[in-house]
Amino acid sequence: MLPGVGVFGTGRTVRSLVPLLQEEGFPVQAVWGRTQEEAERLANELNIPFSTSQSDDVLLRQEVHLVCILTPPPYTRQIAVKALGIGKNVISEQAATLTDACTMVTAARYYPQLMSIMNNALRFLPAFILMKRLLAEGYCGTLQVCEARVYGGSLLSQSYGWAWEELMGGGGLHTIGSRIIDLLSYLTGGRAVRVHGMLRTFVRHGGSGAGIRSVTADDYACFQLLMAGGVVCNVTLNFNLPGADLQEVMLVGSSGRLVVRSTELYGQRDTTKGEELLLRDADLGAGPVVTGLKAMVTQLRLSFQAQEDRRSWARNPVAMAATFEDGLYVQTVVDAIKRSNRSGEWESVDVRTEDVDPNQNHRTAPN
């Protein structure tokens, strides 16, 4: 039997995720919003039986065993830690700060029998799954360079809120760049050891109701990641293109290249021929986020069904999912890019997971 789900958040991702959960048989039992009105409106729209603006009202419901945290970053850590502490499985967005990410890892290590994964649906996108397999089979030869480009319209909310503030987790680097950083590590099987980056805020004032408040979150970012093993990754994020929506990830090796554009995969190994289409868009323009979410929910259902005969999520994680420790790594890279933007120099990436919990060996399951 699939677990009941409690959802935190009322944004676009929630509106995409909840119907997908319901289609796969997950009973979505409760939703939390920042105001009671927001929560009630979403509950009525998506046929969710309970709505509230009090987080404990969701977490303490007996029928809720899986918590999906799709809130602004400042709320993420508190909800995730409390949910794990009372025995709930957790899918979470990226935390707002490195300290928050460390706290989430500590909580996950206290309760290794529970599922604690990051909500990066790009890992589940069929095009990226096939890209990773073909890369391992030698389609590109020896991997040398990764290129990623994401272009889109403004990420700012109409009125002042967390999206305006860098320190609250706003900006393209944190909200979108973190997913790309995680994806590149997933595809290459390695992690960044040094980074160099530049951030800019071109739109410094938001809507007319903002008063004197200014935008501190970036709307343009370009950065390089030097991965362990020598692979170089170049990433450009530009959210100043109204009407534009482009996502492209390209892997270049010694004997070929693979490119994902939106949800389709292309490849080229022979310089005398053009690209070949390796995987079509099966969801008729649904886009990478919704297509990835759909695949993630399917894997989630299969994992819970398989889990009935097993004892620990640590032994049967959702296939391909990013863990809270992956989230800590990503947050460490984001912070290093911000340091590089200030210093103008290459900065080292030092993920000190052993410092998260000095007594972790007494609290985690054996390998």
Side-chain angles (χ1 to χ4, degrees):
M1 183 176 178
L2 296 177
V5 180
V7 178
F8 286 81
T10 57
R12 287 181 298 177
T13 303
V14 173
R15 284 177 162 78
S16 298
L17 178 61
V18 168
L20 295 172
L21 288 166
Q22 293 167 335
E23 288 172 9
E24 288 286 346
F26 287 91
V28 181
Q29 302 284 5
V31 62
W32 171 94
R34 284 178 292 178
T35 67
Q36 185 65 38
E37 292 75 17
E38 281 186 7
E40 288 179 359
R41 187 161 53 248
L42 187 70
N44 291 332
E45 178 184 335
L46 299 178
N47 298 315
I48 302 173
F50 179 78
S51 59
T52 181
S53 60
Q54 303 297 316
S55 61
D56 285 355
D57 290 347
V58 175
L59 294 175
L60 296 177
R61 294 184 74 82
Q62 292 184 350
E63 66 270 28
V64 171
H65 299 285
L66 171 63
V67 173
C68 297
I69 306 171
L70 306 170
T71 65
Y75 297 98
T76 299
R77 183 264 307 164
Q78 180 180 359
I79 298 171
V81 170
K82 184 176 288 189
L84 289 168
I86 59 177
K88 311 291 186 180
N89 299 295
V90 174
I91 301 174
S92 178
E93 293 284 10
Q94 193 72 24
T97 67
L98 187 58
T99 300
D100 286 351
C102 288
T103 304
M104 290 169 62
V105 170
T106 300
R109 288 177 173 175
Y110 267 115
Y111 307 103
Q113 75 279 9
L114 297 172
M115 182 183 71
S116 53
I117 62 175
M118 306 303 297
N119 178 40
N120 188 357
L122 292 180
R123 284 197 179 206
F124 295 85
L125 192 69
F128 287 127
I129 295 172
L130 180 56
M131 174 184 266
K132 183 176 175 67
R133 179 169 67 81
L134 291 175
L135 182 67
E137 292 174 355
Y139 185 97
C140 296
T142 301
L143 184 62
Q144 298 167 336
V145 176
C146 304
E147 301 270 0
R149 297 187 298 153
V150 180
Y151 297 158
S154 175
L155 299 174
L156 294 178
S157 52
Q158 291 298 312
S159 58
Y160 173 78
W162 69 272
W164 293 37
E165 297 285 351
E166 179 213 347
L167 295 178
M168 296 176 69
L173 174 62
H174 190 280
T175 57
I176 307 299
S178 60
R179 299 177 187 274
I180 299 299
I181 292 166
D182 176 71
L183 177 66
L184 292 175
S185 290
Y186 164 72
L187 291 172
T188 64
R191 289 187 167 185
V193 292
R194 298 178 67 206
V195 303
H196 188 276
M198 179 182 69
L199 308 176
R200 290 293 183 268
T201 303
F202 289 107
V203 178
R204 294 188 171 275
H205 299 279
S208 58
I212 62 173
R213 295 185 183 273
S214 297
V215 178
T216 62
D218 62 277
D219 54 21
Y220 176 86
C222 62
F223 55 89
Q224 293 175 296
L225 311 176
L226 178 61
M227 312 296 278
V231 175
V232 175
C233 300
N234 296 300
V235 180
T236 301
L237 312 172
N238 188 351
F239 300 100
N240 294 285
L241 298 172
D245 187 8
L246 179 148
Q247 176 180 292
E248 179 180 277
V249 176
M250 178 168 59
L251 306 185
V252 180
S254 58
S255 59
R257 62 188 175 96
L258 292 163
V259 187
V260 171
R261 299 188 182 97
S262 188
T263 62
E264 296 185 332
L265 175 64
Y266 299 84
Q268 183 175 7
R269 285 189 289 186
D270 188 339
T271 57
T272 64
K273 299 179 181 180
E275 290 182 337
E276 56 179 330
L277 178 61
L278 302 176
L279 184 68
R280 293 184 180 276
D281 182 357
D283 286 323
L284 302 176
V289 173
V290 174
T291 303
L293 281 173
K294 183 177 180 180
M296 184 183 76
V297 172
T298 299
Q299 289 297 316
L300 192 65
R301 172 181 59 79
L302 294 173
S303 294
F304 271 108
Q305 290 172 341
Q307 183 62 18
E308 293 179 0
D309 297 325
R310 299 177 184 272
R311 297 177 58 189
S312 172
W313 276 107
R315 299 179 180 87
N316 183 32
V318 176
M320 301 169 289
T323 65
F324 277 16
E325 296 209 8
D326 292 321
L328 175 60
Y329 155 73
V330 168
Q331 192 65 49
T332 303
V333 174
V334 167
D335 277 20
I337 293 169
K338 291 180 179 180
R339 291 200 311 272
S340 176
N341 177 62
R342 294 190 295 267
S343 69
E345 304 291 338
W346 283 86
E347 297 286 346
S348 297
V349 177
D350 186 14
V351 186
R352 300 176 63 88
T353 55
E354 69 273 12
D355 292 341
V356 173
D357 180 359
N359 298 312
Q360 61 173 311
N361 291 333
H362 302 288
R363 295 170 178 154
T364 58
N367 293 331

